Amino acid sequence: EIVLTQSPGTLSLSPGERATLSCRASQSVSRSFLAWYQQKPGQAPRLLIHGASSRATGTPDRFSGSGSGTDFTLTISRLEPEDFAVYYCQQFGSSRTAFGQGTKVEIK
Amino acid sequence: QAQLEQSGDEVKKPGASVKVSCKASGYSFHGYYIQWVRQVPGQGLEWVGRINTNSGSINFAPKFQGRVTLTRDTSITTAFLELSSLTNDDTALYYCARDCGGMCRYYHYGMDVWGQGTRVTV
């Protein structure tokens, strides 16, 4: 069973700053099966990134994903007020899926 | 456009069962799996299970072994999650989401459409 560990748990930043979120897998995973989601209070998660680095429809280009093997990163180049939220990584396996525990990006 | 509409909130007593529905519209129901994810208040996302809407085959997280039933009714393009022997720990928001499933053997496009969530209180 693959375990995804996200860090940090909370990231306190100001609008305009760069955010770097980490997702580490307990064993190597294929980039093709790694996704990122954004969740705001009271809303369902929203798909941001699939295939580790491809932006989903409607995802602004200030969001970028990278990584391979066991280490993946979601970067928000310049934080906008609407980007303060919780972010989850997800790995799709052949018969199950796993989520990281989330990183909260809060206003400093 | 593709949408998933879930049934209303539920309040149940410990030991009871709950059945949540997820109606799909705006896309080919057979072409996608339905995933179920829950979120305990104040906590992260937890995978519950998934159903292949074409074959009806299911996979689920080991912790729900023996308590979860996933079904679908293709005639009404609706998937169902039934959870039995409820405890207080099952109090959560339950989401369904679309998954490209069998179309994504070599690349996964993520869970791109989500229901609004069904709150289950035990």
Side-chain angles (χ1 to χ4, degrees):
Chain A
E1 178 186 348
I2 294 176
V3 176
L4 300 178
T5 302
Q6 293 186 240
S7 62
T10 302
L11 202 49
S12 299
L13 295 168
S14 301
E17 290 194 291
R18 182 185 187 88
T20 303
L21 289 66
S22 172
C23 175
R24 179 162 290 178
S26 58
Q27 57 187 277
S28 183
V29 304
S30 168
R31 288 174 48 89
S32 297
F33 294 90
L34 196 288
W36 289 92
Y37 299 83
Q38 175 193 66
Q39 187 179 33
K40 297 180 181 179
Q43 296 183 17
R46 170 197 166 198
L47 176 67
L48 286 179
I49 299 282
H50 54 79
S53 60
S54 296
R55 282 184 289 274
T57 303
T59 300
D61 59 9
R62 61 181 180 273
F63 290 89
S64 63
S66 63
S68 63
T70 60
D71 291 308
F72 297 87
T73 300
L74 175 68
T75 302
I76 310 171
S77 59
R78 288 178 56 85
L79 283 164
E80 297 288 339
E82 61 268 29
D83 299 336
F84 292 92
V86 180
Y87 293 85
Y88 297 93
C89 58
Q90 180 192 27
Q91 184 271 336
F92 293 91
S94 59
S95 61
R96 65 179 63 180
T97 188
F99 290 97
Q101 81 278 21
T103 290
K104 182 179 181 180
V105 179
E106 65 177 22
I107 299 176
K108 187 175 182 180
Chain B
Q1 74 280 23
Q3 288 186 326
L4 296 173
E5 184 72 26
Q6 296 185 227
S7 50
D9 295 347
E10 302 266 9
V11 179
K12 296 291 182 182
K13 293 191 182 300
S17 297
V18 68
K19 191 170 185 176
V20 179
S21 68
C22 171
K23 179 166 177 61
S25 62
Y27 72 95
S28 173
F29 185 65
H30 288 282
Y32 295 81
Y33 294 179
I34 293 291
Q35 298 263 19
W36 291 92
V37 175
R38 77 177 188 180
Q39 187 167 38
V40 171
Q43 296 189 21
L45 303 175
E46 179 180 29
W47 182 64
V48 176
R50 73 176 188 188
I51 183 166
N52 178 331
T53 56
N54 207 21
S55 68
S57 66
I58 66 171
N59 302 100
F60 50 84
K63 72 177 288 183
F64 298 104
Q65 175 84 35
R67 290 207 300 137
V68 69
T69 303
L70 303 180
T71 57
R72 92 286 189 222
D73 184 336
T74 57
S75 68
I76 55 171
T77 64
T78 301
F80 301 92
L81 162 70
E82 185 168 14
L83 190 61
S84 62
S85 303
L86 292 169
T87 71
N88 292 340
D89 292 342
D90 294 315
T91 293
L93 195 54
Y94 289 76
Y95 292 104
C96 61
R98 186 176 80 163
D99 178 311
C100 53
M103 296 187 290
C104 297
R105 290 183 183 179
Y106 304 107
Y107 182 93
H108 204 290
Y109 290 91
M111 289 154 57
D112 62 340
V113 180
W114 291 67
Q116 81 277 19
T118 296
R119 191 168 306 280
V120 175
T121 303
V122 182

Short mmCIF file of all heavy atoms in Angstrom, two decimals, chain B residues 70-112:
data_model
loop_
_atom_site.label_atom_id
_atom_site.label_comp_id
_atom_site.label_asym_id
_atom_site.label_seq_id
_atom_site.Cartn_x
_atom_site.Cartn_y
_atom_site.Cartn_z
N LEU B 70 -21.00 -1.14 -2.90
CA LEU B 70 -21.07 -0.19 -4.01
C LEU B 70 -21.87 -0.83 -5.14
O LEU B 70 -21.55 -1.95 -5.55
CB LEU B 70 -19.68 0.21 -4.51
CG LEU B 70 -18.73 0.80 -3.47
CD1 LEU B 70 -17.38 1.14 -4.14
CD2 LEU B 70 -19.32 2.05 -2.84
N THR B 71 -22.87 -0.13 -5.62
CA THR B 71 -23.69 -0.63 -6.71
C THR B 71 -23.96 0.51 -7.69
O THR B 71 -23.63 1.67 -7.44
CB THR B 71 -25.04 -1.17 -6.20
OG1 THR B 71 -25.71 -0.14 -5.46
CG2 THR B 71 -24.84 -2.38 -5.30
N ARG B 72 -24.53 0.12 -8.82
CA ARG B 72 -24.97 1.14 -9.78
C ARG B 72 -26.20 0.65 -10.50
O ARG B 72 -26.44 -0.56 -10.62
CB ARG B 72 -23.84 1.51 -10.76
CG ARG B 72 -23.77 0.72 -12.07
CD ARG B 72 -23.25 -0.66 -11.87
NE ARG B 72 -22.98 -1.34 -13.14
CZ ARG B 72 -23.29 -2.60 -13.39
NH1 ARG B 72 -23.89 -3.34 -12.47
NH2 ARG B 72 -22.99 -3.14 -14.55
N ASP B 73 -27.01 1.60 -10.96
CA ASP B 73 -28.19 1.29 -11.77
C ASP B 73 -28.00 2.07 -13.07
O ASP B 73 -28.19 3.30 -13.09
CB ASP B 73 -29.46 1.73 -11.03
CG ASP B 73 -30.72 1.35 -11.78
OD1 ASP B 73 -30.67 1.17 -13.02
OD2 ASP B 73 -31.78 1.25 -11.14
N THR B 74 -27.61 1.36 -14.10
CA THR B 74 -27.29 2.04 -15.35
C THR B 74 -28.53 2.66 -16.00
O THR B 74 -28.41 3.62 -16.75
CB THR B 74 -26.61 1.08 -16.34
OG1 THR B 74 -27.47 -0.04 -16.57
CG2 THR B 74 -25.28 0.59 -15.79
N SER B 75 -29.71 2.11 -15.70
CA SER B 75 -30.93 2.64 -16.32
C SER B 75 -31.24 4.06 -15.85
O SER B 75 -31.91 4.81 -16.54
CB SER B 75 -32.12 1.72 -16.02
OG SER B 75 -32.45 1.77 -14.64
N ILE B 76 -30.73 4.41 -14.68
CA ILE B 76 -30.95 5.78 -14.16
C ILE B 76 -29.62 6.49 -13.92
O ILE B 76 -29.57 7.50 -13.23
CB ILE B 76 -31.79 5.76 -12.86
CG1 ILE B 76 -31.17 4.86 -11.79
CG2 ILE B 76 -33.23 5.34 -13.17
CD1 ILE B 76 -31.83 4.96 -10.43
N THR B 77 -28.56 5.97 -14.51
CA THR B 77 -27.20 6.55 -14.44
C THR B 77 -26.86 7.01 -13.02
O THR B 77 -26.41 8.14 -12.80
CB THR B 77 -27.02 7.71 -15.43
OG1 THR B 77 -27.88 8.80 -15.11
CG2 THR B 77 -27.28 7.25 -16.86
N THR B 78 -27.05 6.08 -12.09
CA THR B 78 -26.85 6.42 -10.68
C THR B 78 -26.00 5.36 -10.00
O THR B 78 -26.21 4.16 -10.21
CB THR B 78 -28.19 6.57 -9.94
OG1 THR B 78 -28.96 7.61 -10.58
CG2 THR B 78 -27.98 6.93 -8.48
N ALA B 79 -25.05 5.83 -9.20
CA ALA B 79 -24.24 4.94 -8.38
C ALA B 79 -24.65 5.10 -6.92
O ALA B 79 -25.15 6.16 -6.52
CB ALA B 79 -22.76 5.29 -8.54
N PHE B 80 -24.44 4.03 -6.16
CA PHE B 80 -24.86 4.02 -4.77
C PHE B 80 -23.73 3.54 -3.86
O PHE B 80 -22.98 2.63 -4.22
CB PHE B 80 -26.06 3.08 -4.58
CG PHE B 80 -27.25 3.45 -5.41
CD1 PHE B 80 -27.43 2.89 -6.67
CD2 PHE B 80 -28.21 4.33 -4.92
CE1 PHE B 80 -28.54 3.22 -7.44
CE2 PHE B 80 -29.32 4.67 -5.68
CZ PHE B 80 -29.48 4.11 -6.94
N LEU B 81 -23.65 4.14 -2.71
CA LEU B 81 -22.75 3.71 -1.64
C LEU B 81 -23.62 3.37 -0.45
O LEU B 81 -24.43 4.19 0.01
CB LEU B 81 -21.79 4.85 -1.27
CG LEU B 81 -21.08 4.75 0.09
CD1 LEU B 81 -20.06 3.63 0.09
CD2 LEU B 81 -20.40 6.07 0.44
N GLU B 82 -23.47 2.15 0.04
CA GLU B 82 -24.16 1.76 1.26
C GLU B 82 -23.12 1.36 2.30
O GLU B 82 -22.23 0.55 2.02
CB GLU B 82 -25.13 0.60 1.01
CG GLU B 82 -25.96 0.26 2.24
CD GLU B 82 -27.11 -0.69 1.94
OE1 GLU B 82 -27.12 -1.30 0.84
OE2 GLU B 82 -28.02 -0.81 2.79
N LEU B 83 -23.24 1.94 3.48
CA LEU B 83 -22.31 1.66 4.57
C LEU B 83 -23.11 1.17 5.76
O LEU B 83 -24.08 1.84 6.18
CB LEU B 83 -21.51 2.91 4.93
CG LEU B 83 -20.32 2.75 5.88
CD1 LEU B 83 -19.28 1.81 5.29
CD2 LEU B 83 -19.70 4.11 6.18
N SER B 84 -22.75 0.02 6.27
CA SER B 84 -23.51 -0.59 7.36
C SER B 84 -22.74 -0.52 8.67
O SER B 84 -21.59 -0.08 8.72
CB SER B 84 -23.81 -2.05 7.00
OG SER B 84 -22.61 -2.79 6.86
N SER B 85 -23.42 -0.96 9.74
CA SER B 85 -22.82 -0.99 11.09
C SER B 85 -22.16 0.33 11.42
O SER B 85 -21.00 0.39 11.84
CB SER B 85 -21.81 -2.14 11.19
OG SER B 85 -22.41 -3.38 10.90
N LEU B 86 -22.90 1.40 11.22
CA LEU B 86 -22.34 2.74 11.40
C LEU B 86 -21.91 2.99 12.85
O LEU B 86 -22.58 2.55 13.79
CB LEU B 86 -23.37 3.80 10.99
CG LEU B 86 -23.70 3.87 9.49
CD1 LEU B 86 -24.92 4.75 9.26
CD2 LEU B 86 -22.50 4.38 8.70
N THR B 87 -20.80 3.71 12.98
CA THR B 87 -20.34 4.20 14.28
C THR B 87 -20.16 5.70 14.19
O THR B 87 -20.22 6.29 13.11
CB THR B 87 -19.02 3.55 14.71
OG1 THR B 87 -17.97 4.07 13.90
CG2 THR B 87 -19.06 2.03 14.58
N ASN B 88 -19.90 6.31 15.35
CA ASN B 88 -19.68 7.77 15.35
C ASN B 88 -18.53 8.16 14.42
O ASN B 88 -18.51 9.26 13.86
CB ASN B 88 -19.39 8.25 16.77
CG ASN B 88 -20.60 8.12 17.68
OD1 ASN B 88 -21.73 8.03 17.20
ND2 ASN B 88 -20.37 8.08 18.98
N ASP B 89 -17.57 7.25 14.26
CA ASP B 89 -16.41 7.55 13.41
C ASP B 89 -16.76 7.66 11.93
O ASP B 89 -15.95 8.09 11.12
CB ASP B 89 -15.33 6.46 13.58
CG ASP B 89 -14.70 6.50 14.95
OD1 ASP B 89 -14.83 7.54 15.64
OD2 ASP B 89 -14.09 5.48 15.35
N ASP B 90 -17.97 7.23 11.57
CA ASP B 90 -18.41 7.33 10.17
C ASP B 90 -19.06 8.67 9.87
O ASP B 90 -19.45 8.92 8.71
CB ASP B 90 -19.38 6.19 9.84
CG ASP B 90 -18.71 4.82 9.89
OD1 ASP B 90 -17.59 4.69 9.34
OD2 ASP B 90 -19.30 3.90 10.48
N THR B 91 -19.20 9.52 10.88
CA THR B 91 -19.72 10.86 10.63
C THR B 91 -18.75 11.61 9.72
O THR B 91 -17.58 11.80 10.06
CB THR B 91 -19.88 11.62 11.96
OG1 THR B 91 -20.92 11.01 12.72
CG2 THR B 91 -20.23 13.09 11.71
N ALA B 92 -19.22 11.98 8.54
CA ALA B 92 -18.34 12.57 7.53
C ALA B 92 -19.17 13.10 6.36
O ALA B 92 -20.37 12.84 6.26
CB ALA B 92 -17.35 11.52 7.01
N LEU B 93 -18.48 13.80 5.50
CA LEU B 93 -19.03 14.23 4.22
C LEU B 93 -18.58 13.21 3.19
O LEU B 93 -17.38 12.94 3.08
CB LEU B 93 -18.51 15.63 3.89
CG LEU B 93 -19.16 16.46 2.80
CD1 LEU B 93 -20.66 16.59 3.03
CD2 LEU B 93 -18.50 17.84 2.76
N TYR B 94 -19.53 12.63 2.49
CA TYR B 94 -19.22 11.59 1.51
C TYR B 94 -19.38 12.18 0.11
O TYR B 94 -20.44 12.72 -0.23
CB TYR B 94 -20.15 10.38 1.69
CG TYR B 94 -19.83 9.60 2.94
CD1 TYR B 94 -20.19 10.08 4.20
CD2 TYR B 94 -19.12 8.40 2.87
CE1 TYR B 94 -19.87 9.38 5.35
CE2 TYR B 94 -18.80 7.69 4.03
CZ TYR B 94 -19.17 8.20 5.26
OH TYR B 94 -18.84 7.51 6.41
N TYR B 95 -18.32 12.05 -0.69
CA TYR B 95 -18.32 12.56 -2.05
C TYR B 95 -18.27 11.41 -3.06
O TYR B 95 -17.58 10.41 -2.82
CB TYR B 95 -17.08 13.42 -2.32
CG TYR B 95 -17.00 14.73 -1.60
CD1 TYR B 95 -16.16 14.90 -0.50
CD2 TYR B 95 -17.72 15.84 -2.04
CE1 TYR B 95 -16.04 16.12 0.14
CE2 TYR B 95 -17.62 17.08 -1.40
CZ TYR B 95 -16.78 17.20 -0.31
OH TYR B 95 -16.66 18.42 0.32
N CYS B 96 -18.92 11.60 -4.18
CA CYS B 96 -18.66 10.75 -5.34
C CYS B 96 -17.91 11.60 -6.37
O CYS B 96 -18.01 12.83 -6.37
CB CYS B 96 -19.94 10.18 -5.94
SG CYS B 96 -21.15 11.38 -6.55
N ALA B 97 -17.15 10.94 -7.20
CA ALA B 97 -16.37 11.65 -8.21
C ALA B 97 -16.19 10.76 -9.43
O ALA B 97 -16.15 9.53 -9.32
CB ALA B 97 -15.00 12.06 -7.65
N ARG B 98 -16.07 11.39 -10.59
CA ARG B 98 -15.89 10.67 -11.83
C ARG B 98 -14.41 10.33 -12.03
O ARG B 98 -13.53 11.16 -11.80
CB ARG B 98 -16.39 11.55 -12.99
CG ARG B 98 -16.38 10.86 -14.33
CD ARG B 98 -16.97 11.74 -15.41
NE ARG B 98 -16.05 12.74 -15.91
CZ ARG B 98 -16.22 13.40 -17.05
NH1 ARG B 98 -17.31 13.16 -17.79
NH2 ARG B 98 -15.35 14.30 -17.46
N ASP B 99 -14.19 9.12 -12.51
CA ASP B 99 -12.84 8.63 -12.73
C ASP B 99 -12.79 7.99 -14.10
O ASP B 99 -13.68 7.19 -14.43
CB ASP B 99 -12.52 7.60 -11.63
CG ASP B 99 -11.15 6.97 -11.77
OD1 ASP B 99 -10.80 6.51 -12.87
OD2 ASP B 99 -10.44 6.91 -10.76
N CYS B 100 -11.76 8.30 -14.87
CA CYS B 100 -11.71 7.79 -16.25
C CYS B 100 -11.48 6.29 -16.33
O CYS B 100 -11.59 5.69 -17.39
CB CYS B 100 -10.66 8.54 -17.05
SG CYS B 100 -9.02 8.58 -16.30
N GLY B 101 -11.15 5.66 -15.21
CA GLY B 101 -11.15 4.22 -15.11
C GLY B 101 -10.44 3.46 -16.20
O GLY B 101 -9.26 3.64 -16.45
N GLY B 102 -11.19 2.60 -16.85
CA GLY B 102 -10.60 1.72 -17.85
C GLY B 102 -9.99 2.44 -19.03
O GLY B 102 -9.14 1.88 -19.73
N MET B 103 -10.38 3.69 -19.25
CA MET B 103 -9.78 4.46 -20.34
C MET B 103 -8.40 4.96 -19.96
O MET B 103 -7.68 5.51 -20.80
CB MET B 103 -10.67 5.67 -20.67
CG MET B 103 -12.04 5.31 -21.20
SD MET B 103 -12.93 6.76 -21.77
CE MET B 103 -13.27 7.57 -20.20
N CYS B 104 -8.03 4.78 -18.71
CA CYS B 104 -6.81 5.39 -18.19
C CYS B 104 -5.82 4.34 -17.69
O CYS B 104 -5.26 4.49 -16.60
CB CYS B 104 -7.14 6.37 -17.08
SG CYS B 104 -8.13 7.75 -17.62
N ARG B 105 -5.62 3.33 -18.46
CA ARG B 105 -4.69 2.27 -18.05
C ARG B 105 -3.26 2.76 -18.03
O ARG B 105 -2.45 2.28 -17.23
CB ARG B 105 -4.80 1.08 -18.99
CG ARG B 105 -6.10 0.33 -18.87
CD ARG B 105 -6.13 -0.88 -19.77
NE ARG B 105 -7.42 -1.57 -19.70
CZ ARG B 105 -7.72 -2.64 -20.40
NH1 ARG B 105 -6.83 -3.17 -21.22
NH2 ARG B 105 -8.91 -3.21 -20.30
N TYR B 106 -2.91 3.71 -18.89
CA TYR B 106 -1.51 4.13 -19.02
C TYR B 106 -1.29 5.56 -18.59
O TYR B 106 -0.16 6.02 -18.46
CB TYR B 106 -1.05 3.94 -20.46
CG TYR B 106 -1.26 2.51 -20.93
CD1 TYR B 106 -2.26 2.20 -21.84
CD2 TYR B 106 -0.48 1.48 -20.42
CE1 TYR B 106 -2.48 0.90 -22.24
CE2 TYR B 106 -0.70 0.17 -20.82
CZ TYR B 106 -1.68 -0.11 -21.73
OH TYR B 106 -1.91 -1.40 -22.12
N TYR B 107 -2.38 6.29 -18.39
CA TYR B 107 -2.29 7.69 -17.95
C TYR B 107 -3.61 8.03 -17.32
O TYR B 107 -4.67 7.72 -17.88
CB TYR B 107 -2.02 8.61 -19.15
CG TYR B 107 -1.87 10.06 -18.75
CD1 TYR B 107 -0.61 10.59 -18.49
CD2 TYR B 107 -2.98 10.90 -18.61
CE1 TYR B 107 -0.46 11.92 -18.11
CE2 TYR B 107 -2.84 12.21 -18.23
CZ TYR B 107 -1.58 12.72 -17.98
OH TYR B 107 -1.44 14.02 -17.59
N HIS B 108 -3.54 8.68 -16.14
CA HIS B 108 -4.79 8.98 -15.46
C HIS B 108 -5.07 10.48 -15.49
O HIS B 108 -4.20 11.27 -15.12
CB HIS B 108 -4.76 8.49 -14.01
CG HIS B 108 -6.11 8.25 -13.46
ND1 HIS B 108 -6.98 9.28 -13.18
CD2 HIS B 108 -6.77 7.11 -13.15
CE1 HIS B 108 -8.12 8.78 -12.74
NE2 HIS B 108 -8.02 7.46 -12.70
N TYR B 109 -6.25 10.84 -15.89
CA TYR B 109 -6.62 12.25 -16.03
C TYR B 109 -7.23 12.85 -14.77
O TYR B 109 -7.73 13.97 -14.77
CB TYR B 109 -7.59 12.42 -17.21
CG TYR B 109 -6.92 12.21 -18.54
CD1 TYR B 109 -6.90 10.95 -19.13
CD2 TYR B 109 -6.28 13.25 -19.20
CE1 TYR B 109 -6.26 10.73 -20.34
CE2 TYR B 109 -5.65 13.06 -20.41
CZ TYR B 109 -5.64 11.80 -20.97
OH TYR B 109 -5.01 11.60 -22.16
N GLY B 110 -7.19 12.10 -13.68
CA GLY B 110 -7.68 12.64 -12.42
C GLY B 110 -9.18 12.51 -12.26
O GLY B 110 -9.88 12.06 -13.16
N MET B 111 -9.66 12.88 -11.11
CA MET B 111 -11.10 12.85 -10.82
C MET B 111 -11.62 14.24 -11.08
O MET B 111 -11.45 15.14 -10.24
CB MET B 111 -11.31 12.38 -9.38
CG MET B 111 -10.98 10.90 -9.22
SD MET B 111 -10.47 10.37 -7.57
CE MET B 111 -11.84 10.88 -6.57
N ASP B 112 -12.21 14.44 -12.25
CA ASP B 112 -12.45 15.79 -12.74
C ASP B 112 -13.84 16.33 -12.45
O ASP B 112 -14.07 17.53 -12.60
CB ASP B 112 -12.17 15.86 -14.24
CG ASP B 112 -13.08 14.95 -15.05
OD1 ASP B 112 -13.66 14.00 -14.48
OD2 ASP B 112 -13.22 15.19 -16.26
#
